[in-house]
Amino acid sequence: MTLSHAEYQAIAAKLTPNGQAFIDGKFCDAADGDKFETTNPATGQVLSRVAHCKSGDVDRAVKAARRVFNDGTWSRAEPEHRKEVLLKVAALVREHTNELAVLESLDTGKTITDCLHEIGTEVPNFFQWYAELADKTFGKIAPTGPSALALVVNEPAGIAGAVLPWNFPLVMAAWKIAPALAVGCSAVIKPAEQTPLTTIRLAELMQEAGVPDGVINILPGYGHTAGKAIGLHNDIDTVSFTGSTEVGRMFLRYAGDSNLKGVGLEMGGKSPFIVLEDAAINDDLIEHAAMSAFWNGGQNCSANMRQLIAAPLVEEFTARVCSRVKAFRLGDPLDPSTEIGSMISKDHKTMVMEYIQSGLDQGAKMIIGGGSDLPGHFIEPTVFQNVTPDMKIAREEIFGPVLGVMPVQSPEEALAIACDTDYGLHATVFTRDIDRAIHMARSLPCGTVSINGFSEGDIKTPFGGYKQSGSLARDNGTEALAQYMQTKTIWISS
Ligand code: NAD
């Protein structure tokens, strides 16, 4: 049941967020006592002083994770036991949805409505789904002659590191922690420095659920300190990173400069939303166009920010998208009627505003948006037309609410523009022609293509990117398990 604005404010007023690290089953400060502040981007209010973990703290966490991995308490526990504990985590997250959602909203500036969905539904579903897989993930027996029996066995990879972004903090934590723990790994997790609070609180719930000391470790810190230390650690076996392509590249270097750990990368995008000439411009299509761009204030890796519209439809499409966009309500993220919250920080707002200026400087026409008078770091959803494929706003990931509409003369031109990018995370195509839909879906080099509706899929389907949006690793689905497992062949001669 959704509460009122005043009730969410009352929950917020009672929160005293914990900013400590969680290492080996205990909350603690960084070894050198260093701290940084995390603030509410919508108001500037300091929410907590947070432990600034560095390489010594990462080392402590890895030693604890290795100890418990080697003693087998979790790694060699009956899969049914891991399932039971992870199901309890799911139940505890559900039970604490309002508290966690308010904390997430305060730490990120995201709307309470989105936080409630992510934390009340998605996060527990992730834990539940991977819990259920814990006792259903089978190895194989290879075909051999009668003189041998060859078993192909999955084993937990060991210590899994994860370095997370700020745009969906607890969802991203669940994407990594749930599959890693389901297969028996121990985990060392670094939340983004902007948004550590819900992941720290999750550690407490995981302990309550019965996750043994050392299996889950949360190390808040900056990228160049805790993040780099995870990337370079010689006793972390695999690391899963979600964030920018620039930092993803660093994780490949860290692996090369250390123990050649496995690296799973989920990175940025500049995803197209293609409307072919036969599509019907109706309310449903317009809603998908607006939400694909402006959900989470455009701070979404698969945001569809290049909208390639068949030329005969572009005028009607643009007018209707703009009237939908005009109706978006910006405001206090804790108000359930708010649809778009704050940008994550002042610096991020400045960067997005520079992109808006570059669009204007390069000759695109801004037809709606462009800033906001609200205090905090808000930016109105912004729509440009007369965008050409060579413009900066058409090529670079902005990670804010800036949509470029481009007319296209044919499906082939739409495809050519859509593919002319270093990214390959997501694409949406609207058409009523099934042959065209299949052709476009097969031709777009993207991890997810959604037809006649913007969707990233769900827990059951793999998520990740082609080209510089990702490595071959995938989050979600049964595919995510591969990031956290080794494959062993046991060849038995008889
Ligand atoms: P970011 O790359 O700046 O930071 C991500 C994480 O990396 C943070 O925890 C940060 O502290 C850490 N980090 C930063 N510098 C580091 C360094 N030198 N060494 C080690 N770690 C370092 O990205 P962000 O701003 O937090 O998130 C936005 C980006 O994430 C966007 O590019 C977006 O597209 C991408 N993203 C991708 C997905 C996906 O699944 N593909 C999902 C969400 C976000």
Side-chain angles (χ1 to χ4, degrees):
M1 185 192 67
T2 309
L3 305 180
S4 67
H5 187 186
E7 286 167 315
Y8 290 122
Q9 285 173 318
I11 294 172
K14 286 200 194 117
L15 289 175
T16 47
N18 181 1
Q20 287 187 299
F22 186 75
I23 300 177
D24 201 8
K26 288 172 205 66
F27 283 102
C28 58
D29 292 332
D32 65 2
D34 196 12
K35 291 193 165 98
F36 62 93
E37 288 178 346
T38 183
T39 56
N40 177 345
T43 63
Q45 177 206 358
V46 175
L47 299 169
S48 185
R49 286 177 53 70
V50 178
H52 180 182
C53 294
K54 315 223 169 60
S55 61
D57 304 294
V58 169
D59 201 39
R60 229 166 8 120
V62 173
K63 284 201 169 85
R66 179 60 67 191
R67 186 202 68 238
V68 69
F69 185 80
N70 286 349
D71 77 21
T73 319
W74 184 258
S75 57
R76 291 195 297 278
E78 294 294 332
E80 291 81 354
H81 174 68
R82 291 200 297 269
K83 173 167 95 171
E84 191 186 327
V85 172
L86 293 175
L87 286 175
K88 186 84 192 293
V89 175
L92 285 170
V93 171
R94 285 199 182 97
E95 202 178 297
H96 291 83
T97 294
N98 282 337
E99 171 210 333
L100 284 163
V102 168
L103 189 56
E104 190 87 305
S105 176
L106 295 175
D107 212 13
T108 56
K110 288 159 74 86
T111 67
I112 188 67
T113 307
D114 282 349
C115 294
L116 286 166
H117 173 71
E118 287 161 24
I119 291 171
T121 305
E122 290 188 34
V123 171
N125 282 355
F126 286 120
F127 279 102
Q128 187 168 330
W129 204 76
Y130 287 104
E132 292 291 354
L133 278 183
D135 62 356
K136 297 174 192 69
T137 303
F138 292 83
K140 290 191 289 198
I141 298 176
T144 54
S147 63
L149 176 64
L151 311 180
V152 182
V153 175
N154 299 319
E155 295 188 342
I159 313 302
V163 175
L164 308 175
W166 45 259
N167 58 343
F168 296 94
L170 205 60
V171 169
M172 291 296 124
W175 278 23
K176 315 291 186 188
I177 295 171
L181 265 60
V183 300
C185 288
S186 302
V188 176
I189 309 290
K190 190 196 91 61
E193 54 272 30
Q194 299 88 344
T195 57
L197 296 179
T198 49
T199 310
I200 293 171
R201 178 73 178 104
L202 176 68
E204 210 171 347
L205 298 178
M206 294 186 74
Q207 186 171 48
E208 188 181 336
V211 174
D213 293 353
V215 170
I216 181 77
N217 301 276
I218 308 296
L219 286 102
Y222 285 92
H224 65 279
T225 53
K228 183 175 178 183
I230 288 174
L232 284 172
H233 202 287
N234 277 313
D235 201 27
I236 290 181
D237 300 284
T238 181
V239 67
S240 186
F241 167 78
T242 295
S244 60
T245 296
E246 184 193 351
V247 177
R249 249 181 246 290
M250 293 183 194
F251 276 89
L252 294 174
R253 290 195 200 107
Y254 296 152
D257 289 343
S258 57
N259 62 342
L260 296 174
K261 59 180 65 63
V263 179
L265 301 174
E266 303 290 350
M267 301 175 288
K270 189 73 183 176
S271 299
F273 182 99
I274 300 170
V275 177
L276 300 184
E277 194 176 344
D278 65 84
I281 305 288
N282 54 29
D283 289 349
D284 180 61
L285 183 148
I286 294 299
E287 190 63 19
H288 280 281
M291 293 312 292
S292 75
F294 299 120
W295 169 44
N296 209 38
Q299 301 172 122
N300 177 22
C301 53
S302 47
N304 286 184
M305 290 305 191
R306 297 185 295 152
Q307 303 210 341
L308 309 174
I309 314 300
L313 306 179
V314 75
E315 201 174 318
E316 182 190 359
F317 172 86
T318 311
R320 288 185 65 177
V321 162
C322 284
S323 72
R324 171 64 186 95
V325 164
K326 222 179 260 171
F328 275 128
R329 264 201 295 270
L330 271 70
D332 180 354
L334 284 183
D335 181 342
S337 70
T338 295
E339 291 168 290
I340 296 191
S342 169
M343 296 287 99
I344 187 68
S345 65
K346 181 165 184 272
D347 286 352
H348 192 63
K349 177 174 177 178
T350 303
M351 196 261 291
V352 175
M353 293 304 292
E354 283 168 7
Y355 274 109
I356 292 176
Q357 190 56 48
S358 95
L360 296 169
D361 293 345
Q362 290 192 307
K365 185 172 172 208
M366 188 171 74
I367 40 181
I368 193 164
S372 165
D373 296 334
L374 289 172
H377 311 309
F378 293 84
I379 300 182
E380 288 160 346
T382 300
V383 180
F384 278 98
Q385 64 180 16
N386 300 349
V387 176
T388 54
D390 56 319
M391 289 179 183
K392 205 168 155 183
I393 57 166
R395 302 206 69 79
E396 296 182 15
E397 182 182 41
I398 300 174
F399 222 56
V402 184
L403 164 61
V405 178
M406 294 181 242
V408 286
Q409 303 303 329
S410 66
E412 291 69 32
E413 191 192 2
L415 202 50
I417 296 172
C419 295
D420 180 22
T421 169
D422 289 336
Y423 293 116
L425 193 56
H426 185 277
T428 303
V429 180
F430 271 80
T431 175
R432 286 185 281 199
D433 181 331
I434 184 69
D435 293 333
R436 277 198 172 150
I438 293 169
H439 173 68
M440 297 296 274
R442 299 297 282 260
S443 306
L444 286 158
C446 303
T448 302
V449 179
S450 58
I451 303 292
N452 292 334
F454 167 75
S455 172
E456 296 180 342
D458 67 13
I459 175 68
K460 302 183 288 298
T461 55
F463 183 82
Y466 283 35
K467 297 161 88 175
Q468 294 181 33
S469 288
S471 57
L472 293 180
R474 291 291 181 264
D475 283 324
N476 302 346
T478 52
E479 286 77 1
L481 298 176
Q483 286 194 59
Y484 307 103
M485 290 193 305
Q486 277 287 13
T487 303
K488 180 180 280 177
T489 297
I490 300 177
W491 186 277
I492 306 165
S493 300
S494 60

